[in-house]
Amino acid sequence: MQRLTLLQRLIVAMSIVAFVAICASAVFLYIRFQASNDAFREETLSTFAEDLHRELSADPQLSNPHAKAIKARIRELRGQYVILGQDGRAIDSSGSQQPLIPHIDNRTQYFELPSHGGQKALFGISLPTPSSGPVEAIQVAFPKAHVIFDSVLEEFVRDIAWIWIPFVFVLLATNIIVVGLALRPLRTAAHEAARIGPSSIAARLTESGMPNDVLTLIRSVNAALDRLQGGFLSLERFSGQLAHELRTPLAIAKTRLSLSQDQIARAVERDFEDIERVITQLIDRVRVRTLHYEATDVVDLGGVATDVARYLAPMIVGARRNIELKIENGPVLMSGARDFIFRALRNLVENALHHSPENGVITISVFNIGISVADQGPGFTKMRLNQVSQAVGKTDREDGLGLGLSIVGETMEAHDGRLVLSNLPSGGAVATMSF
C-alpha cells in the first residue's frame, strides 16, 4: 500500500478539519436559530398580548383607533386573538368565540396548535391579566411562518450562512497552497537527494533558503553524506595500497622465474600471471563499489579504447593473438569516470584474450553509444547469455572466476548503462558496454 506524502496527509487533515468545522457550524447555527427563533416568537407574541392588555385597561371595549390598529395587524398577519372573561368564555375574538386553549392557573402559557381544516399550525401565548377585572387572560396566536423573526432568520440562513461553506473551501484551498509553498524546500531537498549516487558522492543538499526546523534535518543528512564520502575515499585508498602491496612481491617472483629456462619455472610464471590477474580483478571489484564522478567529468570513449589497446598490445602479441581497433565517427564523449571505464574495458579485452584461439583477432569497436569487444573464441554459454546480472561466482565462459564481467556490469550500472552479451553467428563472443 502506497503511503501518503506529507503534503497529502496535511491536505487530508485540513479537509477533515474543514468538514468538521462546517458540520459544527451548521449544528451551532441550527441550535442558535431555534433558540433565538423561539425566544423572539415569544417576545413578539408577548408584545401583541401586552399591547392588547394596555388597551383593555384604557378602553374595555377596544374601540379606540389604536386598539383597532392592533387587531387589524393581527388579522393582517393571519393571526388570531381571544380575550377570555373570568368565566372562561370569550369576551372578544378575531373569529371563533372559543378559547384557543383552556386557560389554566394564573401564569403565562406558550402553546402550539397543529394545522387542521386548512388552518396553518399556530404558535401562541395565553397571558393572564394581573388585575381583578372582568378579563382573565388574553390569547394571541400566529402561524409560525408569519412571525417576523422567522423571516429574518430564514433570510440570514439563505443569504449569510451559506457564505460560510464556500468561505471554508476557499480557506482550505488557500491553506493547501500555503502549505505546498512551505513544503517546497523539502521537495527540493528530496529531488537533490534522489540524484545523489556513487557517481556524485561529493554532492550535498542545498541549505540556503531552508526554514530552521528543516535546516537541522538537511545539515544532518549532509553530515551523513560527508561520512559516507570519507568511507568511500578510505576504501579506495585501501584498495590502492592493497594493489601495491600484492603486486610488488608478485612482480619480483615473476622476474626471478623469468631468469630461469626451466619449463616448470615457466609454468609457475604463467600461474603467477593468472594470480596477478585475479588479484587485479578483485581490487577492481572493490574499487567499483566506490565509483564516483561529477557531471562535468567527460570521457572520450575512443581515447579510452586506444589507451587500452596500447596497454594490452604487448601482452596480446606475446600471446600470439591479434588486436584490432575501430572508431566510428570521431570522438565519442560520455559523462563518466575514465579510470573505471578503462579498467572495465581492460577486463573485457583480457577476458577475450583468455578465450581467443591462437592467431585469433580481438576487435575493439567504438560507436556512438558505447564500446564492444569481439573475439573468435567459443562464445558465451547459454546460461551466461540468459543471466540478467553478472554475479560473482558465475563463470564468464567455460572456466574462470567470472569476476571480469561482474566488474564491467557493475561499472555500467554506476554509469546508468548496461553490459550486453551476445555470440556472433560465425563464432566468437561480443561484449558491449552500452551507455
Side-chain angles (χ1 to χ4, degrees):
M1 181 177 179
Q2 186 177 6
R3 294 184 178 182
L4 296 177
T5 64
L6 180 58
L7 178 59
Q8 291 171 337
R9 291 182 182 183
L10 289 173
I11 291 174
V12 171
M14 288 189 295
S15 300
I16 294 174
V17 170
F19 177 76
V20 172
I22 291 174
C23 294
S25 300
V27 172
F28 173 78
L29 284 175
Y30 177 78
I31 295 173
R32 186 65 178 170
F33 171 84
Q34 291 297 329
S36 300
N37 195 23
D38 292 342
F40 198 81
R41 270 200 201 113
E42 294 172 359
E43 184 178 349
T44 303
L45 293 170
S46 296
T47 300
F48 275 97
E50 290 172 357
D51 286 347
L52 287 174
H53 181 255
R54 280 195 299 271
E55 295 302 322
L56 279 171
S57 300
D59 180 11
Q61 303 300 322
L62 296 178
S63 57
N64 63 68
H66 192 255
K68 292 180 179 179
I70 294 175
K71 293 191 288 185
R73 179 59 177 164
I74 293 174
R75 292 189 185 96
E76 181 182 347
L77 294 175
R78 299 181 184 178
Q80 298 180 22
Y81 72 91
V82 176
I83 300 175
L84 299 177
Q86 293 294 339
D87 58 357
R89 295 182 180 181
I91 298 175
D92 190 7
S93 69
S94 59
S96 173
Q97 296 297 316
Q98 297 297 325
L100 296 177
I101 62 169
H103 182 70
I104 302 174
D105 299 331
N106 191 26
R107 66 184 182 204
T108 302
Q109 294 176 274
Y110 292 97
F111 58 87
E112 291 189 24
L113 298 177
S115 59
H116 61 282
Q119 176 67 47
K120 294 184 178 180
L122 297 176
F123 182 79
I125 183 174
S126 180
L127 180 70
T129 57
S131 63
S132 59
V135 178
E136 180 183 15
I138 299 174
Q139 295 181 346
V140 180
F142 290 100
K144 289 185 176 182
H146 289 282
V147 178
I148 297 173
F149 197 56
D150 286 357
S151 302
V152 175
L153 284 179
E154 288 176 3
E155 183 178 352
F156 170 78
V157 171
R158 184 174 59 252
D159 298 337
I160 305 298
W162 285 108
I163 297 177
W164 174 245
I165 296 177
F167 172 77
V168 169
F169 283 112
V170 170
L171 182 62
L172 176 62
T174 303
N175 288 337
I176 291 174
I177 294 173
V178 171
V179 170
L181 294 175
L183 293 179
R184 181 176 294 175
L186 279 179
R187 290 196 297 270
T188 301
H191 291 319
E192 291 178 349
R195 291 195 295 268
I196 296 177
S199 61
S200 56
I201 61 172
R204 296 294 180 268
L205 303 183
T206 303
E207 296 184 2
S208 61
M210 293 290 178
N212 289 335
D213 47 355
V214 177
L215 184 59
T216 303
L217 175 62
I218 297 299
R219 286 176 175 171
S220 299
V221 173
N222 285 338
L225 291 174
D226 289 337
R227 293 191 293 271
L228 288 174
Q229 183 182 18
F232 273 116
L233 296 178
S234 176
L235 184 58
E236 190 173 22
R237 288 192 297 268
F238 169 76
S239 62
Q241 293 170 357
L242 179 63
H244 176 73
E245 295 295 331
L246 290 175
R247 284 172 177 168
T248 300
L250 283 175
I252 293 173
K254 283 173 58 181
T255 302
R256 289 175 179 174
L257 289 172
S258 65
L259 298 177
S260 174
Q261 300 299 321
D262 187 83
Q263 290 186 354
I264 297 178
R266 290 293 185 185
V268 173
E269 183 182 2
R270 286 193 297 271
D271 291 338
F272 269 105
E273 289 177 353
D274 291 338
I275 294 173
E276 184 178 22
R277 178 169 177 262
V278 170
I279 291 174
T280 301
Q281 288 182 337
L282 287 171
I283 295 171
D284 286 346
R285 182 170 179 81
V286 173
R287 283 177 172 173
V288 79
R289 299 299 180 93
T290 65
L291 190 159
H292 62 276
Y293 63 92
E294 304 301 329
T296 55
D297 295 338
V298 179
V299 180
D300 179 9
L301 297 184
V304 173
T306 301
D307 291 344
V308 171
R310 185 184 295 114
Y311 176 77
L312 295 178
M315 182 188 302
I316 294 173
V317 173
R320 296 180 182 178
R321 272 75 169 174
N322 301 298
I323 185 169
E324 181 182 23
L325 176 62
K326 297 180 179 179
I327 301 178
E328 303 176 3
N329 303 325
V332 179
L333 304 179
M334 295 287 175
S335 293
R338 189 182 192 283
D339 290 343
F340 288 91
I341 296 175
F342 177 91
R343 287 197 286 268
L345 181 58
R346 184 197 66 199
N347 273 286
L348 288 183
V349 176
E350 288 178 347
N351 189 68
L353 172 62
H354 187 69
H355 295 89
S356 290
E358 189 172 342
N359 295 321
V361 179
I362 301 171
T363 303
I364 305 175
S365 301
V366 181
F367 52 97
N368 58 346
I369 59 169
I371 307 174
S372 65
V373 177
D375 60 50
Q376 297 175 338
F380 294 108
T381 62
K382 291 183 178 180
M383 180 182 67
R384 170 59 74 183
L385 292 176
N386 293 332
Q387 287 175 349
V388 177
S389 61
Q390 283 67 47
V392 179
K394 300 294 184 180
T395 58
D396 292 352
R397 312 241 182 141
E398 296 176 352
D399 57 1
L401 292 176
L403 288 172
L405 296 184
S406 176
I407 293 169
V408 179
E410 293 187 9
T411 301
M412 294 309 300
E413 287 180 5
H415 285 85
D416 295 327
R418 62 194 182 109
L419 173 63
V420 181
L421 306 180
S422 61
N423 289 329
L424 296 172
S426 57
V430 178
T432 302
M433 299 166 59
S434 180
F435 290 85

